[in-house]
Amino acid sequence: MTTRAVLVGAGGLGGPLALSLGAAGIEVSIFDPDVVEASNLHRQIQFTAADRDKPKAMLLAGAIVARGGHAHGHVAKWPPADADELGRDADIIVDGSDDPVTKFAVNDWAVANGRLYVIASALRYGGNVMVGAPGFACYRCLFEEPALDAPTCSDAGVLGPVVGAIGGVAAALAIGLTRGDRSHAGSIFVFDDLRAFVDPRVVRFAARRDCPACARAPISPFQTPPVRVAAQKGP
Ligand SMILES: [Zn+2]
């Protein structure tokens, strides 16, 4: 059976994510409202100067198709008005956007619809990747609200290879999720400075009792049966 992914963002993180997911045989629906600008090219290495002013989502979907994969581009922000229809067949939603509001929208849609998800962020020399699945703590449990004053790559910058590294990690974790690996669900991988130190801190966190996304989840992290510990044999 074909595995299907929604990918949000076709920029620096979206490039390696899309090509890796597509090469793994996953059908990818890519959402990004933007066109390629010359200032993108240092970190969005899937594009060339000849791509300027063309929509990123369509170019990236075309790159997957040119490699024998299956993809569709949507020149739109996530979530579009018909998100539930467009995402109906998606097994997983992966965020590589550069916008905190979009990341929370991805989280809330995934949690409300009981989907697997991965949310990746990169800034300056590091970044993080959150792995989510139904029944586990979500992105909103951890970060609560979008930080609207958070710097973005367009204004604070990001080292080109950093988005490649974070995007590659996010793709590997997403592919693992689609193949049944839940060992990192409810965890965030934090990369402080990829120039100096590649090992991430991996932090598993608990669901927040008053998280509005988890309160509406079809599979709530609060209803998941506790892990049973085998009874200890007496001495
Ligand atoms: Zn939550």
Side-chain angles (χ1 to χ4, degrees):
M1 212 177 75
T2 306
T3 301
R4 295 186 172 85
V6 165
L7 172 62
V8 179
L13 293 165
L17 273 166
L19 297 175
S20 303
L21 296 175
I26 297 173
E27 186 175 325
V28 190
S29 288
I30 304 170
F31 291 77
D32 193 302
D34 295 332
V35 296
V36 177
E37 295 173 37
S39 64
N40 301 147
L41 297 178
H42 79 99
R43 63 181 189 274
Q44 301 179 15
I45 59 176
Q46 67 270 33
F47 303 128
T48 70
D51 294 329
R52 253 188 286 181
D53 300 325
K54 295 180 187 160
K56 295 179 187 181
M58 307 311 291
L59 290 168
L60 197 50
I64 293 176
V65 171
R67 289 161 173 79
H70 299 280
H72 321 271
H74 302 269
V75 185
K77 267 178 93 87
W78 184 269
D82 51 352
D84 289 353
E85 173 66 21
L86 290 171
R88 192 183 54 203
D89 295 334
D91 302 288
I92 185 167
I93 178 165
V94 183
D95 174 88
S97 72
D98 185 22
D99 165 24
V101 172
T102 303
K103 292 182 188 303
F104 277 78
V106 166
N107 177 76
D108 293 352
W109 187 87
V111 173
N113 290 280
R115 303 307 162 83
L116 305 168
Y117 60 100
V118 168
I119 298 175
S121 304
L123 193 68
R124 301 193 182 106
Y125 309 117
N128 58 66
V129 183
M130 150 91 199
V131 182
F136 290 87
C138 82
Y139 194 76
R140 193 178 278 281
C141 286
L142 183 62
F143 292 115
E144 300 194 25
E145 295 286 339
L148 297 178
D149 54 352
T152 65
C153 289
S154 345
D155 44 56
V158 65
L159 200 66
V162 166
V163 287
I166 303 267
V169 167
L173 291 167
I175 292 166
L177 271 180
T178 65
R179 296 182 178 170
D181 179 4
R182 300 288 178 275
S183 55
H184 301 300
S187 300
I188 190 163
F189 288 62
V190 182
F191 298 86
D192 292 316
D193 186 340
L194 282 159
R195 296 170 306 172
F197 189 63
V198 176
D199 291 341
R201 288 177 286 129
V202 184
V203 183
R204 182 178 295 278
F205 53 95
R208 186 164 51 88
R209 278 279 157 198
D210 56 351
C211 172
C214 287
R216 290 192 293 271
I219 301 173
S220 159
F222 307 119
Q223 290 152 3
T224 308
V227 177
R228 289 182 191 281
V229 179
Q232 299 266 323
K233 288 216 169 72

